[in-house]
Structure formats: C-alpha cells, structure tokens
Amino acid sequence: MTHIFLTPSSYLIPKFSAVRHHPLPPWKPPPTVTFRFLRAAHPVPLRLTLTLRPYFVPCGLSATAGDLLHNAGATAGVLAGAYTLVFAFDNLTQRKLIEQSLSRKLVHILSGLLFLISWPIFSNSTEARYFAAFVPFVNCLRLVVNGLALASDEGLVKSVTRKGDPQELLRGPLYYVVILMLCALVFWRESPIGIVSLATMCGGDGIADIIGRRFGSVKIPYNQRKSWMGSISMLIFGFLISIGMLYYYSVLGYIQLDWSRTFQRVALVSLVATVVESLPITEVVDDNISVPLATTTVAFLSFSS
Ligand SMILES: C/C(=C\COP(=O)(O)O)CCC[C@H](C)CCC[C@H](C)CCCC(C)C
Ligand SMILES: Nc1ccn([C@@H]2O[C@H](COP(=O)(O)OP(=O)(O)O)[C@@H](O)[C@H]2O)c(=O)n1
C-alpha cells in the first residue's frame, strides 16, 4: 500500500537552523483525509493521505480550550499592563514628578520592552502570537480614536505626546505600536529578528533621546539635531538590550544561538540602526519606521547567512 503524505510547506518566515523551536505541546495526530484509488489490473489500491497541519485548520479549531483560556488571560493581563503603564506615567507627569519629554521616552522604552518580555506568558499554541498581537492592535485603535479626537483620553495625550497635541498620537506612537504588532505576528518568539528589532527600537532609540537631550552638546556634523552622545548611547544600549533579550529567550528555550556569531551580528545590526537613526530624515520618515525597517533587514540577512 502506498501512502503519500502531502503536508503543506511551513511558516511565513524561514526557519533558522541554529534556532530550536520551543518544545511543542504533547503531539496529537493531526487530522488526516485518505483517498483510495483503485488502479486497473493492480492488486493494491493507491491511498493518498492528506495531513492537515494546525495552521491549515481554521483558527480556534486547532487550539485546545485550555490554550484559548490561557491566551485570553495572558492578553487581558498584558492589556491591563499597557493601560497601567500609561496611567502611571500620566500620574507622574500630572504631579510634575517627571517632565513630559522624559515621561514619553520612558513609556517608549518600557512599553515595548515589557511587551517583548511578556511573550513567553502566552501558550505554545500556533495561535498564541495572534493573542499577543491583539494588545498592540487595541492600542493602535486607542491612538487612532484619540488622535482623531473621537475620544479624549487626556492621560494618554499627556504621557505620550511631545506638546500635548492629540494629532501627534497618529505619528510616532502609532507607527511604534504597529511595529510591535507586526513583530509579534511575523517573527514572534522563535526568531531573533523581531527580538533584536524591538530591543533596538524601544531600548536603543529611547535611551538615545534621554542621554542625547542631557549630554548631547557635540552635534553630529550631518545632523545638528542629533548628537554623538545620543548616537553612541543608542549603539551601546541597543546592543546590550538586544543581547539581553536574546539571552532571555535562549534561557527559556525558544531559540538556540551560536553566541560568538550572534555578538557580531547584533553589533552589526546595532551599528546600522544607529547610523539610520542619526540621519536627518525624520521629516521624510519617522524613526519608528526607518529604524525597525533597517534593523529587520540587516538582522534577516545576517541571521540567515
Ligand atoms: C510614546 C511611544 C512612542 C513614541 O515614540 P517616539 O515618537 O518618541 O519615538 C510609545 C506609545 C506606547 C503606547 C501608547 C502603549 C503601547 C503598549 C504596548 C502595545 C503593550 C505594553 C504592555 C506592557 C506589559 C506594559
Ligand atoms: N542620536 C540622538 C537621538 C536623539 N537625541 C536627542 O533627543 C532629542 C529627540 O530625539 P528624536 O528626534 O529622535 O526624538 P523622537 O523622534 O524619537 O521622539 C533630539 O532632539 C536630541 O536632543 C540626540 O541628541 N542624539
């Protein structure tokens, strides 16, 4: 009897040979469909068995009830964390305990990095990334609704904008949250690309602003709005936070990396991101788009080689 298993090709992104996927839940035989073909003058019918892998089963059918409950709880918790973070910094700004620009940058740094750190609390199911991405999706809606003045969340505006203009929400903050959502959907926990990109955009770029504003007296020749101190701090902290996040995901078993090559790759990614961030192109493209775009491209090329 001849069995031909037709299983569709896998994921949206290339699998990294050096990357070991997080142990999957206990194996259950996937649903199969068997066709029997009787062949003329041949004693044995030909059987064609089609194995439907989970990602070809409509969302929700492949996840157990426990997974759905687990992921729904994780989503609610991370969403509550997002609202709490913004509320806390609004409170600090309102009470004049920190200035608005510092509040905004700390929200920039902490929201993305804490979101990245929260990914392991979601289940191992194939649908987990969609539950995680729902959190930035809700925040996209929140930014759009308030940016278009369809609602007025004063706390959000005060803790996230430069000058308190709600329309600002539709630029840097919205691009930032869209990048968080895309990295969760496209790269998720099993790829170093999304991890390094978010660590650089959230940690590196955010710290560049904080250090640069305070100590950036020597400006970059080709961009008088940026300083050497700001860029050097982006390079150093972007590298360190990326390595820290990769180590976190490595210890949890989601990825396995050749660390000697990983240090070189992350150093290259951090350098390119720092150069891109220093360019005088903010009027053309926000650095919450240019930096992650450059980071994901260089990370994809270097981690795939
Ligand atoms: C201020 C922000 C971006 C502006 O960047 P830039 O223009 O200064 O370069 C960040 C906006 C954050 C957003 C309002 C909330 C995002 C929450 C996140 C999706 C989930 C965080 C969960 C965690 C557990 C706190
Ligand atoms: N490489 C950098 C980045 C920012 N900065 C300082 O941080 C401020 C805000 O930086 P930015 O324009 O990138 O701010 P966002 O667009 O990230 O909010 C700049 O005006 C500089 O004072 C710096 O000195 N060097």
Side-chain angles (χ1 to χ4, degrees), residues 214-232:
R214 282 154 183 74
F215 308 108
S217 54
V218 181
K219 301 302 182 186
I220 292 175
Y222 55 83
N223 185 353
Q224 291 303 304
R225 288 184 54 206
K226 301 286 173 80
S227 66
W228 286 109
M229 190 58 101
S231 292
I232 290 167

Side-chain angles (χ1 to χ4, degrees), residues 186-248:
V186 176
F187 301 109
W188 195 219
R189 301 177 292 212
E190 288 84 9
S191 161
I193 300 171
I195 295 168
V196 172
S197 300
L198 291 189
T200 306
M201 177 184 79
C202 307
D205 182 21
I207 289 172
D209 180 313
I210 293 174
I211 303 282
R213 281 180 193 273
R214 282 154 183 74
F215 308 108
S217 54
V218 181
K219 301 302 182 186
I220 292 175
Y222 55 83
N223 185 353
Q224 291 303 304
R225 288 184 54 206
K226 301 286 173 80
S227 66
W228 286 109
M229 190 58 101
S231 292
I232 290 167
S233 57
M234 175 169 180
L235 178 62
I236 295 170
F237 284 95
F239 174 80
L240 293 176
I241 294 170
S242 295
I243 292 294
M245 285 296 179
L246 288 175
Y247 182 71
Y248 170 70

Side-chain angles (χ1 to χ4, degrees), residues 278-292:
S278 72
L279 298 175
I281 55 173
T282 311
E283 303 310 318
V284 178
V285 58
D286 193 283
D287 58 13
N288 288 335
I289 296 174
S290 58
V291 168

